[in-house]
Each structure stands twice: as C-alpha cells, then as structure tokens.
Amino acid sequence: MKSTAPANAPVIASQATPLYAPSYPADVSRVVSILFVDQSGQLGGAEFSLLPLAVTWAARREVLLLSDGPFRTRLESLGVPVRVACDTRVSGIRKRAVHVNWLMALPGIVRQIRTIARHAESFDVLFLNTQKALVLGALGKPLHRKRIIWHLHDIMSGDHFGPLQRLIVRWLTRYAVDHVVANSHASAASLVALTGCAPEAVPVVHNGVDLNEFSHVDDADTGALRRRLGLPEDVYLAGLFGRLAPWKGQHIALAALARLPDLHLVLVGSALFGEQAYVASLREQAARLGVEDRLIFAGFRDDMPAWMKAVDVILHTSTEPEPFGRVIIEGMAAGRPVIAASAGGVTEIVRHRKNGWLVPPGNVEALADAIETLHAAPELAQRLADQALIDVSRQFSVEAYLEQMKRTIALATGVAAITNAASPASA
Ligand code: UDP
Ligand code: GLC
C-alpha cells in the first residue's frame, strides 16, 4: 500500500503491474478470477456485503470460508462455488484476543495459511473479506504471491481490537496487502491513523441494498406479522435489528423502553459469535425493569424487509462507532424513520432531522426523547422516512455498490486504466 512512511519503506501497491492488458473495454468481473476468503459461516454484515459481489462476479470465482454455517448454504443456493476449510484452533480466536494459547493455535494457523495459499494458486486475485482472512491470507503471500485486496469492514481502533491484532494489521497492510477498500470513511480513517498510509490509498465504497426486496412487501404482510407476534396493529412498535452483542447496545434500547410506557420493542437478531451471556443479561434486565410484556426477542430472521416494515420506528443503538451499519440503510429502504447512534460510518448515512435522527451513542435519555418526538409527530417521522428512501436509492443501492466495487477492483488490477482509456464513457 502507498504509505506516508519513510521513503525507503516498501510500497507494494505502486509496484503492482496490470494483470490484463485488453485492447478493448473490459468488464473486470469477466476477466479477473477471484478467490474470496471470509472467516465466518454466519450471516453478518460483511457477509451480506460480499454476497452480491460473489454472485455477480462473472469470471471464475470461489468463496473460501474458514467456518461452516448458513452463509455457505446461502452462497450455494445462489450458485456460488464454496469451499469450507475450518480449523477450530483458529476459529476460536476472538478479535480482542489477548490470552491466546499460541502454542495450541499455531499448527492450525499454519495449516490455514497453507490451505488459503494452495486454493489461491489458480486465481488472479485474493480478496480478503474479514480480519482473520486478512491475517491468514496475507501471511501466506510468500507462498501464493497473488495480488491481495482487503475489504475493510472495521474501525481499527482500540475500542474494537486488541493491541496485537492492531500491530499485525499495521505490519501486514504495509508489507503484504496490495489494495484496501473500506466500507466507510470512518473505517478508512482508522486504518490511515493506524498505519500512516496515504488516505488516497484507502478508497471507500459504501454498502448497498436491493430496493426491490423492500418494495415487494405490502401492508397486508406487515399486519399479519404483527398479529403473529400477538400485537394489536395500532400499538407503537420500535424495532432493533442486528446481532445481539454488547457493543450493538440492545441494553440501551431496553433502558429507553422502561422510560416509555406506551412503547413496544422487538429485537430481531441473535448472538452470532457466542455472546450468550449478553443475551441472558438482556433477559435479566428486562425482568428487572418490568418491560418483559412489551419486549419481543424474535431471533435471527431471513425476511428483514417484512420485519422492518412492520415497525413504526427503527433504532440503531451501537455504543461504539459503527463501521457502517447495513441495518440503517435497510431501515431507510423499508421507508421507516431511523434513529441512530451518531458515530463512525453512521454519520455518512444519516443527516439529523433531514433523513433520520441522530442521538449520542449510549445516551438512554436522548434515545427515549427521540422516540417520543417521532411518535408525537407522525408527519415529521414520515418526512424523514420519505427523504431516507430517496437518499438510499440515490446513494446506497446495491447497483451503485457493485458498480463502485468493480471499478475499485478494476483499478487495483490495472484493468480500469485500460478500459477507461479505450472508453471514456465508462470512466
Ligand atoms: N440480519 C438478518 N437477520 C437478522 C438480523 C440481522 O438478516 O435477524 C442482517 C441485517 O439485515 C444486516 C446484517 O444482518 O444486513 C447486519 O449488518 P450490519 O452491517 O448492520 O451489522 P454487523 O452485524 O455486520 O456489524
Ligand atoms: C461489519 C460492520 C458493519 C458493516 C458491515 C458491512 O460487520 O460491523 O458496521 O455495516 O461490516 O460493511
């Protein structure tokens, strides 16, 4: 990567030569073969972001997963070839890992580095979609010698990652990663701060949503969903969507629920990465606050558009800066007003009182006030939701996302320069 580091520091990206030199405009997804690597078998935001890219990549591509799970079945059902290479000694290491038994983990790490390198051999590019994929894929660079693109989905701050992971990322970014694409300016800035690389070396592509998935849900579906939940259709219902994890701040929403006796709340999502103790603490909190009869734990759901359209207001309550927040653009696509925690990538999506409502992260009082305000002013809530729908279709559509990702990959592989020179219209 290009770096602001001393002039003698290796600058890998600038040494990269074009992979292909077609004499005609080329769609990068037709000419460059890619091995995508993701550590998770679960369906999280990074995986939902990879999904349309892997599905629409026309040249040879494969997804290598370092854990098995519903992400594999989802990819396969959409015709994407998948391979699973799981090693429990590695999948057990968590992102804030401090006390890792390296002696136990090391053989697994070496094995996975070699597995990724072996699979990468027959592809042009190695696309690393998660932190562990980055570490294992980049450490194997001397074996596979493939061009590495890292899709950064995280804010690389001490809030989210331990010192060791940050050190490893700094080192790998400088010496092994050829190109990075970040999911938000907040994520990009955190990498620039961590590594000292040049800001222009970290292009940003925001996530996108498929608006068709949302327009196909009608009011009859959402009414039926409310009845299935045992809720009267006229009850004021807030929804919080996403995995149950302490930094996603479901406890903040429960505390706000306790302050608003007319409110009902549905939590859609489950603990994807073993946060069972947090789920238990949420249930205890609900009992302690006496809000159990106004709270629904819906678990993980596959039909997010229907769930989002069934609520009156959508909450986002992350207590740490959210790298991007797909659930926010999905809420906007559902045509519902969104109240979001103002930090990280969220401020690149939500404009306060214009297309949503921002509150300070972790502030129960501000969240409760915002819910009350929108409940009391349905025209204001509708105006925000209408603007949100316009903004999401202009800036956060899956089409725009794919177009920008492909353009970024094209630039990274040298295809775009040739394409654009041949066809100025495609620039
Ligand atoms: N999601 C889902 N079902 C659920 C809960 C969440 O399909 O029950 C999806 C949600 O629609 C979103 C993703 O999981 O696309 C979560 O992504 P986000 O970027 O909001 O957060 P992350 O968990 O990746 O930090
Ligand atoms: C990560 C982030 C989330 C982001 C998603 C997709 O999972 O936590 O904020 O929306 O990646 O980029």
Side-chain angles (χ1 to χ4, degrees), residues 284-306:
E284 277 163 26
Q285 183 190 4
R288 199 172 58 247
L289 295 172
V291 295
E292 286 162 303
D293 56 336
R294 295 186 287 120
L295 174 67
I296 297 166
F297 284 87
F300 187 91
R301 297 289 161 171
D302 268 334
D303 49 348
M304 289 295 266

Side-chain angles (χ1 to χ4, degrees), residues 44-46 49 153-154 183 207 243 247-248 322-326:
S49 161
H153 292 281
D154 298 296
N183 65 350
N207 276 238
R243 61 199 158 92
W247 76 272
K248 291 289 184 181
E322 180 76 53
F324 178 75
R326 288 183 57 86

